[in-house]
Amino acid sequence: MNPTAAHLHIAEPFLIQQDWQAYTGEQHAVWAELVRRRMPQLAKHACAEYLDGFEQIGLREDTIPNLAEVNLRLGPRTGWNATPVSGFLPPDAFFEMLAARQFPTTTWLRKRESLEYTPEPDIFHDVFGHVPMHAHPVFADFLQQYGRVCATLMDDKEKLEKMGRLFWFTVEFGIIRQKGAIKLYGSGLISSHGESTYVIQGGPEIRDFNLEQVLNQQFLVSEMQKVLYAVESFDQIYEAAKEAEHRLS
Ligand SMILES: [Fe+2]
């Protein structure tokens, strides 16, 4: 049993164990292929915090991560935990976990036939895409604050939709300006070669991050993103999550 699971009430039925021994050689080889495909581009275009986090939490190119080992490194840094779950969570369970600094993490891995895209998140999207950023103290605080705010808005569909846009344009498709260049930090970019290439080649319109605009910006999940919002620092999204609490709660 996960030692931190005790205080999760809504999410409890979705918690599972990662059976790391059960991964096959083919699955580890698919992971290795996925990492090899992404790393050359990310070495140039991912933000420094992502690349540092990748090292700090001990991700490897050749094997699927063992979440218990990741958490031994991640926990002491920021108090976050990559917690294995059975799949998509209902919103209240998802926000409860974020507010408790537990990231719902799937354990299955896509097959070789679908290296670029899976309709549902898998361990590559969740761990390779998301978890390295959780080693960064400000991003870590932002994500918990995000979960806290959303957990208080469960009865208001419209406000939750606005918060969903904040998640989309930061956690999933966030970009940051560093040393005069656009760098990637959102997991939907980090884990997708196609989406990242589109951004690097100047596809989307890039606007300065603005909370009011983000809360009202529609997006399509099924297409390349037409608009992205660039921050100057991660303090900006932490402040935005606090500001969102004032505006929406
Ligand atoms: Fe994601």
Side-chain angles (χ1 to χ4, degrees), residues 94 103 121 125-126 129-130 167 171-172 186-188 191:
F94 184 72
F103 189 72
H125 174 84
D126 285 339
H130 282 275
F167 193 89
V171 178
E172 292 290 345
S187 64
S191 65

Side-chain angles (χ1 to χ4, degrees), residues 70-228:
V70 167
N71 289 332
L72 282 175
R73 288 164 162 262
L74 179 59
R77 290 179 188 276
T78 60
W80 272 84
N81 199 75
T83 305
V85 297
S86 50
F88 258 134
L89 261 57
D92 55 352
F94 184 72
F95 301 139
E96 180 192 46
M97 289 187 71
L98 295 188
R101 289 193 182 240
Q102 299 205 38
F103 189 72
T105 306
T106 52
T107 59
W108 72 283
L109 182 68
R110 68 194 68 185
K111 294 215 160 48
R112 198 175 281 279
E113 303 82 76
S114 44
L115 284 185
E116 171 64 17
Y117 177 75
T118 59
E120 289 204 17
D122 66 346
I123 191 170
F124 182 69
H125 174 84
D126 285 339
V127 177
F128 183 88
H130 282 275
V131 178
M133 286 305 298
H134 304 171
H136 184 260
V138 179
F139 190 92
D141 287 348
F142 152 73
L143 194 56
Q144 179 182 33
Q145 170 68 11
Y146 178 87
R148 274 189 194 142
V149 177
C150 291
T152 68
L153 299 173
M154 287 311 302
D155 298 331
D156 194 321
K157 226 181 132 196
E158 202 176 312
K159 288 178 178 174
L160 269 187
E161 199 179 334
K162 286 182 189 283
M163 289 301 283
R165 295 174 187 146
L166 178 58
F167 193 89
W168 186 261
F169 290 108
T170 58
V171 178
E172 292 290 345
F173 283 89
I175 51 176
I176 183 167
R177 289 201 179 90
Q178 289 183 332
K179 296 182 180 165
I182 290 293
K183 302 284 183 173
L184 316 172
Y185 73 87
S187 64
L189 296 171
I190 295 285
S191 65
S192 166
H193 194 78
E195 297 272 7
S196 292
T197 303
Y198 186 65
V199 174
I200 291 161
Q201 292 178 345
E205 175 192 347
I206 293 177
R207 299 183 186 159
D208 291 341
F209 182 86
N210 174 296
L211 178 63
E212 185 62 27
Q213 277 188 38
V214 167
L215 293 179
N216 292 294
Q217 178 66 47
Q218 312 272 356
F219 62 86
L220 288 171
V221 176
S222 54
E223 289 179 12
M224 294 286 177
Q225 300 305 304
K226 296 200 167 45
V227 176
L228 293 179

